[in-house]
Amino acid sequence: MNLITVIAFCAVFSVHLSVLNGEPSGSDDYIPPPISETTKFLLYDVNPGEGFNLRRDVYVRIVELIKTLREKEDWILVLPPWSRLYHWQSPVHDQIKLPWSMFFDLISLNRYVPVIEFEHFVKVVGEPTVIDQIYYLQYYKGGFTSGGWVEKFDFTECNEPARYVQDPNGQYRGWFYGYDTVSAANFSCVSYQGVASFAAPLLQDKPFRSVMLPRGESLLHNHFGQYSYWAARRSMRFAKHLRLVGDEFRRKYLNSTDEEDRTVLLDDWREMKRQHGDALGGTAKARERASEPC
């Protein structure tokens, strides 16, 4: 096992234990964005088989849709609670309904677009919670075969058996992040081909207040690798309690600190201005400074 593998294993293991052992999450200074009677809520989810990084990537796409929606209406993004992922090989612990504050800094996220936890959304709309509309995103049957890329979406029959079914009262039941008291009033399958912001007309100027987009990975990046992409990524700072675990690991095993390596972060990522070469470190430097394995 080489040094980098040991470092990665120790870091992930330490973070994993800190989260599951109930370390404090989020920030004491976090204040949810204001909500009025005209505020609308966008919920989404990702294919259950996808891992942590893909889910983080889908968030970057979804926030571009929120930005477009907010040009005309007051929309807030509702963060989908985390549930057990394949890579989380720990059957002992309950891994369902995990808030984003367990992993990410909500203050930092809100500096790019307004977001709230799902639990806060439930408090706003009340229980039992009814989501007004589900648009189940899916790819077009046959895939991309026309020879020319065209952005489009259509209301179509579901390609697969619907994961949301009507109960005797006409409400749609299915997977709502593990919450049994949540349902939806309306459900439609939508074949979709396009970037995230292209979905705005599907949602804007509609009578519903809340809409959910399962299979959010169907939305493509608006500007992959460009300014808005990196702004969204930079807003996704890990939660303070996780950063403290990482800082302690660096100090203990790599003889490394932000001050010594010139990697100190400002509280607001929007104010960070760095030039290439400002920071010390890198893989070679880590090897030189690493102490005995954990």
Side-chain angles (χ1 to χ4, degrees):
M1 182 179 293
N2 62 36
L3 173 63
I4 301 304
T5 303
V6 171
I7 291 172
F9 173 81
C10 293
V12 171
F13 185 73
S14 298
V15 169
H16 184 68
L17 284 182
S18 69
V19 170
L20 294 178
N21 286 334
E23 294 287 341
S25 60
S27 170
D28 295 337
D29 300 325
Y30 168 67
I31 300 176
I35 295 174
S36 69
E37 293 183 356
T38 60
T39 299
K40 295 187 175 183
F41 302 96
L42 175 62
L43 302 88
Y44 76 99
D45 204 0
V46 181
N47 181 28
E50 303 296 350
F52 188 92
N53 282 336
L54 188 282
R55 292 171 182 273
R56 186 172 64 163
D57 187 73
V58 172
Y59 172 86
V60 174
R61 309 178 205 181
I62 292 289
V63 296
E64 291 305 310
L65 173 56
I66 280 287
K67 285 177 59 182
T68 303
L69 292 172
R70 287 182 58 79
E71 293 175 1
K72 296 185 64 175
E73 298 172 306
D74 180 25
W75 283 83
I76 288 179
L77 180 61
V78 181
L79 301 169
W82 296 82
S83 296
R84 178 175 175 80
L85 302 182
Y86 175 78
H87 304 93
W88 294 353
Q89 301 292 329
S90 181
V92 178
H93 302 279
D94 186 16
Q95 297 175 8
I96 195 170
K97 304 179 183 178
L98 303 180
W100 273 58
S101 60
M102 187 169 280
F103 303 101
F104 294 99
D105 184 334
L106 296 187
I107 293 178
S108 184
L109 294 179
N110 272 278
R111 287 180 173 136
Y112 193 61
V113 296
V115 303
I116 59 174
E117 298 274 23
F118 183 77
E119 288 279 3
H120 188 68
F121 167 75
V122 170
K123 291 179 181 178
V124 171
V125 301
E127 294 186 87
T129 304
V130 178
I131 298 170
D132 296 325
Q133 177 70 56
I134 292 179
Y135 287 140
Y136 192 88
L137 301 178
Q138 61 185 9
Y139 298 111
Y140 279 88
K141 282 188 176 181
F144 177 54
T145 58
S146 64
W149 174 258
V150 177
E151 290 188 303
K152 58 182 179 178
F153 61 78
D154 294 286
F155 292 94
T156 60
E157 294 183 358
C158 297
N159 294 343
E160 302 173 352
R163 297 186 179 182
Y164 297 86
V165 296
Q166 275 186 305
D167 65 15
N169 297 319
Q171 295 295 306
Y172 286 88
R173 302 284 178 176
W175 175 253
F176 294 101
Y177 320 113
Y179 290 81
D180 297 331
T181 58
V182 180
S183 62
N186 300 282
F187 174 89
S188 299
C189 280
V190 178
S191 294
Y192 191 88
Q193 180 174 289
V195 299
S197 62
F198 183 71
L202 185 65
L203 311 177
Q204 284 174 329
D205 301 320
K206 299 297 190 297
F208 48 69
R209 190 185 187 195
S210 58
V211 58
M212 180 176 178
L213 302 178
R215 303 302 299 268
E217 73 277 6
S218 302
L219 306 175
L220 302 180
H221 281 287
N222 271 55
H223 307 288
F224 184 80
Q226 297 184 28
Y227 175 81
S228 59
Y229 170 86
W230 287 113
R233 281 292 298 267
R234 293 178 70 195
S235 75
M236 298 185 77
R237 285 189 173 179
F238 286 112
K240 182 178 180 180
H241 63 278
L242 297 186
R243 299 202 304 270
L244 291 175
V245 172
D247 290 345
E248 175 60 17
F249 178 86
R250 287 172 56 195
R251 185 197 64 76
K252 184 175 181 179
Y253 296 106
L254 301 177
N255 190 27
S256 167
T257 66
D258 281 332
E259 290 74 20
E260 292 175 343
D261 292 349
R262 300 204 295 263
T263 56
V264 175
L265 296 177
L266 301 179
D267 288 339
D268 190 340
W269 57 268
R270 297 171 299 183
E271 298 177 0
M272 288 289 297
K273 305 294 182 183
R274 293 290 185 269
Q275 300 296 324
H276 182 69
D278 283 351
L280 301 175
T283 302
K285 193 70 174 179
R287 283 200 183 101
E288 292 175 9
R289 300 176 63 176
S291 60
E292 61 186 36
C294 60

